[in-house]
């Protein structure tokens, strides 16, 4: 007499009966779609006990301290899709053509499986865009709640279709991690609380350990096939940020600076791109981060420049851009949609180099690393240069300020200049959430988003 839905037990009377479903189908006005057979629920996602949406989560088994295998995960999705289709066929005489993703979350793998079971159309809850005939595989839908009147509904749709400001901070998991579990929890609580109070839209979450601060990753914070796992922490922090602080999380790994046991394997003179083994290791790491992390996108550094911020030759920059696109395509197998973020040193804004234009055309957002020592006129000139580069360039550009600026009020001044000159997207570099500097109350009028704003 009870049905478990979204991890809550409801009385059977709260749902339609099959007779009612058949009556609606017979009217010719209603098409019956799948909502999965038994995946509208959470599943244990990490050792810390978080429950996350089953359709996009590799389950964690505390008894064996292992994660669900890829094969088993695929088997579960296949079995569920067929069970749902067969049930609907048995009760209505027609197999469903469409599927509505629980929680709106999906992956390329999931789309392919649903299509194989006769459901080439699926519906998500993607924040941006409207459904169109060019992409029936994952159409955004709007989840109507609280019975809005027509004016409220129109306002909600306008918010959904508009592009909201992007406000970001960088978070280093090396600052969160502690060998003492109790201290680790305190660190994480402090982080979540600070981010929640800041009312921003996204976090760049560094998924690798770089204690030596040399920019080389020799361990990571998620299960993987390549490097030692320093701690199984990425999923936990990303999920808490997403659900408690209401921000998007962008996964952040090096593009080439990995120590695979033989020193850093960098893309110097194309060495990584020409080394199939090293290249595959990097692909595996990005895949694994998407498998085990509830991310909304990927951040890339040093795509068009070396570690010192110097521009790379055009052929090498093009090869790196292509490689980042390949990495995104592999990550999309397990998380969709994903935004791709590229970071450019301000020195590469020279129009003669054309790297900024190339970045705008290659990525969803281009982040400009903005020095904190620019005076008002220099910063204004930088914003105007970006705006003049291409139509709408500022919509797809974010300026990243140094959060350890020594001059009082400099961050507030810069943020006011961004607003004054129509640059809606900006953020802070590595943010020390243990201190009160920069003070979020002082930054809030210029940095925080208004209630209801999302990117």
């Amino acid at each position: 007499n009870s049905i478990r839905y979204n991890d809550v037990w409801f009385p059977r009377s709260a749902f339609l009966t099959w007779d009612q479903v058949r009556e609606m189908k017979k009217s010719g006005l209603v098409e019956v779609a799948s909502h999965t057979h038994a995946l509208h629920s959470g599943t244990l996602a990490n050792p810390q006990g978080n429950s996350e949406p089953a359709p996009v989560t590799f389950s964690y088994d505390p008894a064996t301290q292992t994660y669900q295998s890829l094969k088993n995960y695929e088997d579960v999705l296949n079995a569920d899709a067929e069970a749902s289709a067969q049930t609907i066929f048995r009760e209505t005489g027609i197999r469903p053509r469409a599927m509505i993703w629980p929680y709106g979350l999906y992956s390329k793998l999931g789309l392919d499986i649903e299509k194989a079971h006769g459901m080439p159309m699926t519906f998500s809850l993607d924040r941006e865009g409207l459904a169109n005939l060019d992409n029936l595989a994952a159409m955004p839908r709007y989840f109507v709640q609280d019975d809005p009147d027509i004016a409220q509904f129109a306002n909600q749709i306008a918010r959904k279709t508009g592009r909201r400001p992007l406000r970001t901070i960088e978070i280093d998991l090396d600052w969160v991690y502690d060998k003492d579990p109790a201290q680790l929890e305190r660190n994480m609580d402090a982080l979540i609380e600070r981010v929640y109070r800041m009312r921003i839209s996204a976090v760049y979450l560094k998924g690798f350990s770089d204690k030596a601060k040399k920019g080389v990753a020799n361990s990571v914070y998620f299960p993987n096939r390549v490097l030692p796992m320093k701690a199984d922490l990425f999923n936990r922090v990303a999920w808490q940020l997403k659900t408690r602080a209401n921000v998007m999380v962008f996964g952040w790994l090096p593009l080439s600076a990995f120590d695979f046991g033989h020193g850093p394997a960098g893309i110097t003179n194309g060495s990584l791109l020409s080394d199939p083994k090293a290249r595959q290791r990097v692909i595996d790491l990005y895949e694994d981060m998407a498998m085990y992390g509830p991310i909304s996108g990927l951040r890339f550094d040093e795509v068009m420049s070396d570690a010192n911020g110097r521009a790379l030759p055009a052929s090498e920059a093009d090869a790196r851009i292509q490689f980042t696109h390949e990495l995104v395509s592999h990550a999309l197998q397990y998380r969709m949609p994903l935004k791709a973020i590229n970071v450019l040193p301000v020195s590469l804004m020279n129009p003669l180099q054309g790297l900024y234009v190339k970045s705008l055309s290659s990525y969803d957002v281009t982040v400009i690393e903005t020095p904190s020592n620019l005076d008002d006129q220099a910063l204004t000139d930088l914003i105007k240069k970006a705006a003049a580069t291409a139509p709408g360039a500022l919509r797809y550009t974010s300026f990243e300020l140094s959060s350890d600026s020594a001059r009082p009020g400099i961050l507030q001044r810069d943020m006011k200049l961004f607003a004054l000159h129509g640059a809606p997207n900006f953020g802070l570099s590595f943010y020390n959430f243990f201190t009160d500097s920069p003070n979020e109350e002082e930054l809030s009028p210029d940095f925080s988003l208004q209630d209801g704003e999302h990117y």
Side-chain angles (χ1 to χ4, degrees):
N1 294 323
S2 296
I3 295 177
R4 185 170 179 259
Y5 180 79
N6 196 25
D7 293 333
V8 177
W9 288 96
F10 292 90
R12 180 63 185 85
S13 59
F15 298 87
L16 293 173
T17 66
W18 280 113
D19 284 340
Q20 291 171 323
V21 172
R22 285 187 283 269
E23 180 182 354
M24 289 190 295
K25 174 185 168 296
K26 188 177 179 180
S27 73
L29 302 174
V30 174
E31 179 168 341
V32 181
S34 169
H35 201 30
T36 74
H37 181 70
L39 292 182
H40 202 299
S41 62
T43 187
L44 187 62
N46 55 45
Q48 295 88 357
N50 286 109
S51 177
E52 299 176 20
V56 291
T57 301
F58 285 72
S59 300
Y60 178 76
D61 183 353
T64 61
Q65 298 183 346
T66 60
Y67 284 88
Q68 183 180 20
S69 69
L70 175 57
K71 183 181 184 308
N72 182 260
Y73 174 73
E74 291 178 318
D75 289 345
V76 168
L77 292 184
N78 272 297
D80 184 272
E82 186 58 25
S84 178
Q86 286 187 5
T87 300
I88 293 173
F89 176 74
R90 183 183 69 240
E91 298 293 343
T92 69
I94 297 178
R95 286 177 67 95
R97 301 185 303 166
M99 199 277 278
I100 290 82
W101 291 104
Y103 317 102
L105 299 174
Y106 61 103
S107 65
K108 178 63 167 57
L109 177 59
L111 294 179
D112 290 343
I113 287 174
E114 296 301 323
K115 183 178 181 179
H117 291 271
M119 291 171 279
M121 297 181 288
T122 76
F123 292 83
S124 71
L125 284 172
D126 292 346
R127 286 180 171 179
E128 285 188 22
L130 297 172
N132 63 76
L133 294 177
D134 294 330
N135 181 22
L136 298 180
M139 295 175 280
R141 76 185 197 273
Y142 186 64
F143 188 46
V144 180
Q145 301 181 79
D146 302 325
D147 193 22
D149 61 29
I150 191 63
Q152 292 170 327
F153 178 71
N155 183 57
Q156 291 166 0
I157 294 298
R159 283 181 177 274
K160 175 176 172 54
T161 56
R163 193 180 183 95
R164 302 300 177 183
L166 181 63
R167 304 292 164 77
T168 64
I169 61 173
E170 298 177 354
I171 294 296
D172 189 342
L173 281 177
D174 280 342
W175 293 357
V176 181
Y177 173 71
D178 196 284
K179 292 182 179 179
D180 178 5
Q183 183 60 50
L184 172 59
E185 284 297 309
R186 287 192 289 270
N187 293 348
M188 192 163 59
D189 287 343
L191 165 65
I192 303 301
E193 178 62 23
R194 288 296 298 273
V195 175
Y196 174 78
R197 291 203 308 262
M198 294 177 80
R199 291 193 300 163
I200 57 175
S201 55
V203 165
Y204 300 127
L205 187 61
K206 189 176 174 184
F208 62 100
S209 181
D210 180 23
K211 276 290 190 180
K213 301 302 177 188
K214 294 182 178 180
V216 177
N218 52 24
S219 63
V220 294
Y221 284 101
F222 52 86
N224 71 97
R225 295 162 279 178
V226 180
L227 289 175
M229 182 174 65
K230 183 167 182 177
D232 194 347
L233 189 59
F234 186 86
N235 178 284
R236 165 76 164 169
V237 174
W239 183 251
Q240 296 294 88
L241 284 167
K242 180 178 180 178
T243 57
R244 290 176 53 192
N246 194 29
V247 296
M248 296 183 295
V249 175
F250 290 87
W252 180 6
L253 292 173
L255 183 60
S256 61
F258 293 97
D259 183 353
F260 296 132
H262 304 286
I267 312 180
T268 304
N269 298 321
S271 59
L272 177 58
L273 294 177
S274 62
D275 180 349
K277 290 184 179 179
R279 183 188 185 99
Q280 188 59 50
R281 289 189 185 110
V282 177
I283 290 172
D284 290 345
L285 282 167
Y286 274 83
E287 277 191 356
D288 292 340
M289 183 170 65
M291 280 185 184
Y292 300 108
I295 57 175
S296 298
L298 298 171
R299 167 178 164 142
F300 298 106
D301 293 79
E302 298 178 19
V303 176
M304 301 176 177
S305 64
D306 61 21
N308 296 313
R310 295 186 294 261
L312 293 170
S315 60
E316 189 170 347
D318 288 343
R320 292 192 186 199
I321 291 171
Q322 184 58 42
F323 189 43
T324 61
H325 292 173
E326 186 178 350
L327 294 173
V328 171
S329 70
H330 281 271
L332 285 170
Q333 283 291 110
Y334 307 103
R335 301 281 170 181
M336 289 186 75
L338 291 175
K339 291 185 179 297
I341 310 289
N342 180 44
V343 179
L344 280 181
V346 71
S347 59
L348 301 190
M349 286 288 288
N350 187 337
L352 296 178
Q353 294 173 323
L355 296 179
Y356 175 50
V357 174
K358 184 174 290 188
S359 182
L360 287 173
S361 65
S362 302
Y363 298 93
D364 295 294
V365 177
T366 295
V367 173
I368 304 300
E369 292 181 323
T370 308
S372 59
N373 59 354
L374 298 181
D375 60 26
D376 288 24
Q377 189 59 55
L379 183 58
T380 298
D381 290 345
L382 175 61
I383 299 169
K384 289 183 176 180
K385 180 191 291 186
T389 300
L394 291 182
R395 293 181 64 202
Y396 305 98
T397 300
S398 180
F399 296 87
E400 187 167 83
L401 302 166
S402 173
S403 59
D404 59 355
S405 173
R407 292 191 292 168
I410 190 67
L411 294 176
Q412 294 93 317
R413 181 217 66 172
D414 289 350
M415 291 176 181
K416 290 181 186 300
L417 281 174
F418 291 140
L420 178 65
H421 296 290
N425 311 313
F426 47 87
L428 298 174
S429 64
F430 281 119
Y431 192 83
N432 189 343
F433 54 91
F434 290 118
T435 69
D436 197 36
S437 178
N439 183 280
E440 72 261 15
E441 290 186 4
E442 294 176 0
L443 293 181
S444 179
D446 304 298
F447 193 34
S448 296
L449 295 171
Q450 299 301 310
D451 290 342
E453 281 190 319
H454 296 284
Y455 182 70

